[in-house]
Amino acid sequence: MIIKSAEFVMSNSDVAKCPKSMLPEYAFIGRSNVGKSSLINMLTGRKSLAKTSGRPGKTQLINHFLINKNWHLVDLPGYGYARVSKSSKKVFQKFITQYFGLREQLVSGFVLVDIRHKPQPIDLEFMQWLGENGIPFSIIFTKADKLKPKAIKNHIEDYKSILLETWEEMPNYFITSSSKGIGKDDVLEYIDTLNSSITN
């Protein structure tokens, strides 16, 4: 897939106010310092489509972007950021779960995970919640340029061993690096394939 156009549509905290069109949606979510904005900018080829910041937790709303005039990329707030107040976390949690539970246009979620770290309970719990609620998702391992190939393989094996304790199979996953452009084509081809299966 070649990204010919990418434009901001709207931001809000109310799922009911999300775009009314029935275009397919792909939602990106992860812990607040996982590199989500950088990944979105890398995928779309736009340096500042999603706002990057040295201060994690910048995304605090549901952000819709229209890609190639035929699908929406959805940037969701990061979870698990300590400096956000408890009341704000509850608000985020509410509209994140409402989005995944109510948004009929959602085709798949992408859960971003920093490949440099061992499996974190908060990521595993969120994936478990998605699975229990029958919400399709893939894992995107970010910042792959920070590790050697063997370390990447070992960390993915750590995830597999934990997830396969309760899952029948390992969820679909991608290895990416926003700074090096690693994984861009794989993620976009996957979205393109899903879009094709919807329209055919």
Side-chain angles (χ1 to χ4, degrees), residues 4-105:
K4 297 178 180 178
S5 64
E7 55 194 277
F8 172 75
V9 178
M10 65 167 58
S11 294
N12 66 80
S13 60
D14 185 349
V15 177
K17 294 180 181 178
C18 286
K20 302 301 182 187
S21 77
M22 292 306 294
L23 293 176
E25 292 185 359
Y26 300 88
F28 290 72
I29 190 169
R31 280 183 294 140
S32 300
N33 57 352
V34 76
K36 179 163 52 70
S37 296
S38 296
L39 179 85
I40 289 171
N41 292 337
M42 182 266 281
L43 290 175
T44 59
R46 307 298 191 273
K47 290 184 178 180
S48 58
L49 186 70
K51 298 293 188 290
T52 57
S53 172
R55 179 173 61 86
K58 189 77 172 175
T59 305
Q60 298 185 2
L61 296 167
I62 303 170
N63 298 302
H64 274 76
F65 300 94
L66 180 62
I67 310 299
N68 288 351
K69 307 290 185 184
N70 65 1
W71 60 276
H72 283 120
L73 185 157
V74 184
D75 181 9
L76 293 172
Y79 52 77
Y81 184 54
R83 291 187 192 176
V84 176
S85 69
K86 287 184 178 180
S87 59
S88 293
K89 281 182 183 177
K90 286 182 179 179
V91 172
F92 294 171
Q93 189 69 25
K94 182 178 180 181
F95 68 69
I96 287 171
T97 53
Q98 283 184 338
Y99 172 83
F100 280 107
L102 300 175
R103 194 66 175 159
E104 294 180 8
Q105 293 88 333

Side-chain angles (χ1 to χ4, degrees), residues 161-196:
S161 63
I162 292 175
L163 289 170
L164 291 179
E165 290 177 4
T166 53
W167 294 67
E168 290 185 6
E169 58 184 6
M170 175 73 175
N172 187 43
Y173 68 89
F174 301 91
I175 298 170
T176 70
S177 164
S178 297
S179 62
K180 303 292 185 182
I182 297 169
K184 176 178 180 177
D185 291 342
D186 293 336
V187 174
L188 291 178
E189 278 183 26
Y190 179 68
I191 292 173
D192 199 28
T193 299
L194 290 177
N195 280 341
S196 298

Side-chain angles (χ1 to χ4, degrees), residues 128-143:
Q128 188 69 27
W129 180 84
L130 290 173
E132 289 173 354
N133 285 275
I135 299 164
F137 74 94
S138 294
I139 302 170
I140 293 184
F141 292 102
T142 63
K143 306 184 182 182

